[in-house]
Structure formats: C-alpha cells, structure tokens
C-alpha cells in the first residue's frame, strides 16, 4: 500500500491491523477474490472485514489529545455505475485496542465494473486546540487502504427490471427488451436496462435462477444474451462515432460496446463489419450468433 504525504501528523502503519475482506455467499465465507466472472446486476454482495486499531497510539502519534474522537469509515465506489456511497461508519471514543467488524451489504443494481472498497481511520470531530502539526478538520484521514473487486465477467452485464409489459408500450407477449439510451460517453449503468416481462414465466424464472440455473434456464439465458449482443452491436454500428480508433472513458457505453465488439469479432475492423452488416443484415446476424456460441451451455 502506498503512503500519501499528508499536511499533518499521522500514525504509523502498525497502529492498524486489518484483515482481508471476506465475501459471504450462500455456500459459506471465502476470501474476496480479484474478480467475480459470474456476477450480474441481480447479485447483491455481502462483505465482512475485521479491523483492529490501537487508538491510544493513533492519537499520540498524530499529535491528538487522549480524548480525541476517531472513526473508522468504509466507502464503496463502482466504476460501472459511477455510483458511490458510505458502507459503514464506526465512532471510536475509548482507549486501548478497538476491534471493529465491518459488515456491509451492497445492492447489485448499484454496482458494475470495478468495485473499490476504501477503509479509512479519520478524525471524527473538529479540534481547535491541538498542536500546529496535528489534524484539525473532521474527516481528516489518518490511515487508509483500498481493495478492489472486478464485477464484469466475459458477458455484458445489464441493470435488469422485471415488469408487466401489459402496462408498457412493449408487446404484451414479448419476453424481454433491451433499452439503450444516452451517448457513447454516457455511463453504461445509466444507458442500458434489460426489461423482462413478468408474464413470460419461462424467461422471468430463468433470471430468478440465474445464480443456479437449470438446463432450461441456461438455454433461455443464452438466447437473451445472443439477442442482447446483436442489439448492442447493431446499435454501435449505427453510430458514426463508433470507429476503430475511438477512445472512450472507462465505464462508458462506448467502452462497453468496444469491448464487446473486440470480444465477439476479434481481429475485425469496425469499418468492414459495418459494411457487412449494411449489405447483408441476415448474414451479420448469423455471424453474431456463431460468435456468442448460442445454446452451447455447459
């Protein structure tokens, strides 16, 4: 972990003893991996971590009095959704060693891309009567670390909603609809929404069981994935700004579409694929069907 140069005194690294994050699943607890390739937006995350702080040394090494209130805070940030928020905040007012159990639950619909978990020891209240070199402002960071978890797998991920299509402008009997909005610079999370018709029980049940799908669910999910990939590629190729040398921000719709294009059609130029799609749309659809390996379920 790199150490930032702070404009005030801060405690040494050994004042805080921090365990790794633990991922809590239906099958038990495991050390948080680097990536969750099977994650989707319906999968909420439950994470735990134990942190031990020698609050007396933390105060003294920071030039703070013995009664200075400290706090341990955890904050999450998701690059795919451009969302962030507080995960936990524990006030530390005693002496000796304080043991804090961080236990956080994050909604999958808020996440995506790279999940960043920041843990920090901060000054809980403003101090006016401290030494000139001591932290004064509430929220001054005395110690921090960051862990990350990649949530994007090999398949494109979408925010998902199960609704009754009879209450919308979509055909009552349609099984799903991929809604695309915003430009290529827009965040993927805010630009894509996969709508599933609750009246189509075969499809809605497949998504409900996506974590542990039956063979029939895998077939349905494969069909949705293939159709979504085709819809995304057709949308991308319809945009003049979607070209071979284009650069898009991380987590943007353009970056997602470019990544999907490279994954499905490696080594192909966007110009050539766009020409093929316009000259022979049905053959292009078959190209994508082959690329996504439709119905090749494990």
């Amino acid at each position: 972990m790199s150490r930032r140069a702070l404009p005030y005194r801060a405690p040494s690294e050994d004042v805080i003893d921090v365990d790794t994050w633990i991922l809590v699943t239906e099958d038990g607890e495991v050390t948080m991996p680097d990536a969750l390739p099977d994650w989707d937006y319906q999968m909420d995350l439950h994470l735990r971590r134990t942190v031990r702080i020698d609050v007396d040394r933390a105060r003294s090494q920071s030039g703070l009095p013995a009664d200075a209130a400290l706090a341990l805070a955890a904050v999450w940030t998701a690059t795919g959704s451009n969302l962030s928020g507080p995960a936990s905040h524990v006030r530390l007012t005693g002496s000796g060693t304080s043991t804090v159990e961080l236990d956080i639950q994050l909604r999958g619909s808020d996440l995506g891309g790279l999940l960043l978990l920041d843990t920090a020891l901060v000054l809980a209240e403003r101090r006016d009567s401290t030494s000139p070199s001591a932290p004064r402002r509430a929220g001054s960071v005395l110690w921090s670390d960051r862990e990350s978890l990649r949530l994007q797998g090999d398949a494109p991920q979408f925010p998902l909603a199960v609704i009754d299509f009879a209450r919308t402008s979509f055909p009552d009997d349609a099984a799903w609809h991929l809604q695309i909005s915003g430009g290529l610079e827009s965040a993927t999370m805010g630009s894509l929404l996969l709508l599933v018709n609750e009246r189509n029980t075969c499809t809605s049940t497949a998504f409900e069981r996506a974590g542990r799908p039956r063979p029939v669910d895998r077939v349905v999910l494969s069909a949705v994935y293939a159709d979504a990939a085709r819809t995304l590629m057709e949308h991308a190729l319809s945009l003049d700004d979607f070209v071979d040398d284009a650069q898009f921000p991380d987590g943007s719709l353009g970056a997602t579409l470019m990544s999907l294009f490279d994954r499905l059609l490696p080594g192909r130029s966007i110009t050539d694929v766009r020409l093929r799609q316009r000259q022979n749309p049905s053959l292009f659809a078959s190209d994508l069907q082959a690329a996504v390996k439709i119905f090749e379920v494990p």
Side-chain angles (χ1 to χ4, degrees):
M1 181 184 66
S2 60
R3 181 77 171 179
R4 292 185 302 169
L6 300 172
Y8 46 78
R9 292 170 60 185
S12 58
E13 294 288 335
D14 61 358
V15 166
I16 295 92
D17 179 24
V18 58
D19 292 346
T20 187
W21 283 102
I22 298 297
L23 178 65
V24 183
T25 70
E26 294 180 354
D27 298 324
E29 299 183 358
V30 296
T31 299
M32 187 179 76
D34 294 330
L36 286 177
D38 296 326
W39 178 86
D40 62 51
Y41 285 102
Q42 287 188 297
M43 184 185 297
D44 298 337
L45 295 182
H46 184 184
L47 296 160
R48 289 178 182 161
R49 187 183 212 186
T50 301
V51 183
R52 290 164 288 274
I53 309 104
D54 186 332
V55 292
D56 295 330
R57 291 177 60 209
R59 294 186 184 108
S60 63
Q61 292 183 13
S62 301
L64 294 168
D67 63 345
L70 306 180
L72 188 73
V75 177
W76 63 270
T77 303
T79 63
S81 62
N82 284 336
L83 296 177
S84 63
S88 181
H89 187 276
V90 180
R91 189 181 177 90
L92 310 172
T93 56
S95 59
T97 299
S98 292
T99 300
V100 178
E101 301 288 345
L102 298 176
D103 191 307
I104 65 175
Q105 299 197 43
L106 304 176
R107 295 187 305 175
S109 57
D110 291 336
L111 308 178
L114 190 65
L115 174 64
L116 304 175
L117 297 169
D118 290 296
T119 307
L121 179 67
V122 301
L123 183 63
E125 298 176 350
R126 179 178 176 82
R127 304 288 307 192
D128 294 320
S129 57
T130 59
S131 65
S133 62
R136 293 173 177 270
R137 295 181 178 179
S140 295
V141 177
L142 308 182
W143 168 92
S144 68
D145 89 333
R146 167 175 285 184
E147 299 290 339
S148 63
L149 173 63
R150 180 161 295 281
L151 299 176
Q152 300 292 79
D154 290 335
Q157 307 288 339
F158 314 108
L160 182 145
V162 180
I163 62 174
D164 184 354
F165 276 24
R167 300 177 181 273
T168 71
S169 60
F170 305 126
D172 291 0
D173 297 327
W176 64 82
H177 173 79
L178 179 60
Q179 190 167 285
I180 308 174
S181 60
L184 292 172
E185 304 286 331
S186 302
T188 300
M189 182 69 176
S191 302
L192 300 178
L193 179 62
L194 182 63
L195 300 170
V196 176
N197 190 357
E198 66 181 21
R199 295 191 173 205
N200 190 297
T201 56
C202 182
T203 305
S204 59
T205 299
F207 277 95
E208 289 174 2
R209 301 178 60 94
R212 294 184 175 181
R214 303 164 299 175
V216 64
D217 300 324
R218 293 183 183 277
V219 170
V220 172
L221 295 173
S222 177
V224 176
Y225 170 43
D227 184 64
R230 178 186 56 79
T231 301
L232 287 171
M233 285 296 90
E234 289 177 348
H235 177 78
L237 294 172
S238 71
L239 302 175
D240 293 338
D241 292 341
F242 189 75
V243 293
D244 289 299
D245 57 353
Q247 298 291 326
F248 303 106
D250 290 343
S252 67
L253 177 61
T256 297
L257 294 175
M258 190 67 75
S259 175
L260 182 62
F261 181 93
D262 291 340
R263 188 180 306 129
L264 296 179
L265 303 166
R268 305 277 295 276
S269 77
I270 292 176
T271 301
D272 291 343
V273 171
R274 179 179 282 119
L275 182 61
R276 182 179 180 85
Q277 189 267 337
R278 291 176 177 175
Q279 290 181 338
N280 197 330
S282 61
L283 185 57
F284 171 75
S286 295
D287 289 341
L288 289 181
Q289 189 182 100
V292 300
K293 298 179 173 59
I294 189 169
F295 302 142
E296 287 189 18
V297 296

